[in-house]
Amino acid sequence: MSREKGDFAEKKAISFLEDLDFKIIEQNFYAKKLGEIDIIATKNSVYHFCEVKSAPDYETALNNITKSKLSKIKRSVDYYLQTKKLDVAFCIDAIIVDDKEINFLENITL
């Protein structure tokens, strides 16, 4: 996916989250060599670390979230919490942006 298309998907995802009363904390948090967290948001005192995926259809986007990618996200989340000295409830979510709709998958796991 091109950077431009990724930026567009992330903007749509942020609007989607804000419409659901999430507070956006940070975007594109880069955790050194571990990777990047697309969106960090909070709602009801829970931190949501969101991976945004965009593709022409839901299945293609979903298949781009691999076990390896989830592992990198988890390590990035750990790094974020450690550097910010946070001890909070959190989950890792996926936001799938395709040509037709936005799907929000909360608390995805390996």
Side-chain angles (χ1 to χ4, degrees):
M1 169 175 39
S2 71
R3 185 74 233 159
E4 184 177 294
K5 197 171 186 184
D7 288 345
F8 178 73
E10 285 180 21
K11 284 178 185 163
K12 284 180 80 170
I14 285 170
S15 292
F16 176 82
L17 289 172
E18 289 175 335
D19 288 346
L20 294 174
D21 295 324
F22 282 83
K23 180 182 176 200
I24 306 303
I25 303 296
E26 201 162 336
Q27 287 177 254
N28 302 314
F29 175 79
Y30 182 66
K32 305 237 179 216
K33 294 180 180 183
L34 302 171
E36 182 183 69
I37 301 169
D38 293 330
I39 301 169
I40 302 169
T42 61
K43 185 174 181 179
N44 300 328
S45 301
V46 176
Y47 273 67
H48 292 259
F49 296 90
C50 304
E51 174 68 12
V52 178
K53 288 296 180 186
S54 176
D57 61 83
Y58 175 82
E59 217 172 291
T60 302
L62 187 61
N63 286 332
N64 287 329
I65 302 174
T66 63
K67 184 177 180 179
S68 171
K69 179 66 176 172
L70 277 174
S71 180
K72 283 183 181 179
I73 294 168
K74 175 68 172 94
R75 289 194 309 270
S76 297
V77 167
D78 291 342
Y79 178 81
Y80 178 85
L81 294 172
Q82 196 172 51
T83 58
K84 303 289 183 178
K85 295 179 176 35
L86 295 172
D87 184 15
V88 295
F90 72 91
C91 62
I92 297 171
D93 306 327
I95 301 174
I96 308 297
V97 180
D98 65 33
D99 290 345
K100 297 178 189 147
E101 62 188 346
I102 297 174
N103 289 280
F104 184 41
L105 308 172
E106 287 187 84
N107 203 19
I108 59 175
T109 59
L110 293 173

